[in-house]
Each structure stands twice: as C-alpha cells, then as structure tokens.
Amino acid sequence: MKICGVEIKGNDAVICILDASASVFSIQDCRVSKVSIANANDTQQVRDYQFAFAKLVEDYKIEKVVIKQRQTKGKFAGGGNGFKLEAAIQLIDGLDVTVVPSNEIKEKLKRNPMPIKFKDTGLKQFQEQAFTIAYACSQK
C-alpha cells in the first residue's frame, strides 16, 4: 500500500510517500517534497492547491493519506491557513484521508520502532515528521 505522510506547516503540506508491503517499506521518489500555497485567502489558489495535491495522489497512485493532527488551541495551536489546507486535502473525492493524533503516532512507534535512523533515509530534514507519520501509520 502506498501511504503519504503529511505535516502541515504554515502554507505548506510537507509530504513523504512510503510503499509499505508486509514488513518491508520503501521511500518513494517524488517530484516535490511539499505542496505549497501562496495565499490561502484566495479561493482560486485554494482550488489550485487542492488540484495539485489530487494530481500528486493520482500520479503516484497513493492509496492513503495520513495527516498529523495539530492542536486547535494553546501555545502550539495551528494557524487558520493550515486548517484550510487540511480541509482541502480531506475534501478530495475518493481519497482515503486520516488525521492522526500525536499520541497515536507515539504508541505505534513504541510498538514498532523505526528500523533505520532518519538521516539514513536520504530525505530532507524538514520531511522528518512526514516520514515518521507515514511509517507509524503503515504499521499495524
């Protein structure tokens, strides 16, 4: 199963695509490491963002998208634009999207620790959370 881990930061959806089958996973090469929007208050740009993400899913035959849940209030609360981006991804027709809380990710990683160090993956440092989300959610 191809799974796309997503961490939303500001106006970017940072992504990592894993192909997980049985107990083996591989990191898929992707033409982009994040899908961005310049102005989340412009309706056409939000539509273009949604189209770009949907095209990425279609091109790479992604079966499931997992998004790291962000806090809605408090010191580390996510911004309004980020929630718009999350909703735009969730509303893509025919796409299996799950928003996963941090504590669930930690539980899965406790049961199934990562077999390699992140720096050995070849991904960019800012993709670490997206990779962690995808890996954790690819495990039972």
Side-chain angles (χ1 to χ4, degrees):
M1 168 180 9
K2 282 195 180 177
I3 187 166
C4 179
V6 178
E7 180 190 27
I8 296 178
K9 287 183 142 190
N11 288 349
D12 302 320
V14 179
I15 64 167
C16 177
I17 303 171
L18 291 184
D19 190 355
S21 52
S23 61
V24 178
F25 73 91
S26 63
I27 299 168
Q28 300 293 293
D29 286 332
C30 186
R31 66 179 173 258
V32 295
S33 53
K34 58 185 168 183
V35 181
S36 302
I37 187 170
N39 181 1
N41 294 320
D42 182 346
T43 305
Q44 188 57 49
Q45 286 192 33
V46 173
R47 286 187 180 127
D48 292 344
Y49 168 85
Q50 186 181 41
F51 176 81
F53 201 94
K55 185 69 175 147
L56 183 83
V57 167
E58 179 186 326
D59 291 350
Y60 290 95
K61 297 177 178 39
I62 295 168
E63 300 165 58
K64 182 175 181 114
V65 174
V66 288
I67 302 172
K68 182 179 180 186
Q69 183 178 22
R70 293 162 312 118
Q71 293 181 359
T72 54
K73 53 186 169 181
K75 184 178 180 181
F76 300 106
N81 288 348
F83 288 107
K84 283 184 183 181
L85 302 184
E86 185 178 302
I89 294 170
Q90 288 177 303
L91 293 173
I92 296 172
D93 284 335
L95 184 57
D96 180 10
V97 179
T98 306
V99 179
V100 184
S102 296
N103 61 343
E104 187 177 320
I105 295 167
K106 287 177 186 175
E107 285 290 320
K108 289 182 178 192
L109 289 174
K110 196 181 288 185
R111 286 191 307 258
N112 299 298
M114 282 195 249
I116 60 171
K117 293 180 181 174
F118 177 76
K119 64 181 179 181
D120 297 334
T121 62
L123 295 170
K124 296 178 177 131
Q125 185 63 44
F126 66 87
Q127 290 179 286
E128 184 171 6
Q129 284 297 311
F131 168 73
T132 302
I133 297 159
Y135 173 78
C137 294
S138 70
Q139 304 302 303
K140 300 279 182 209

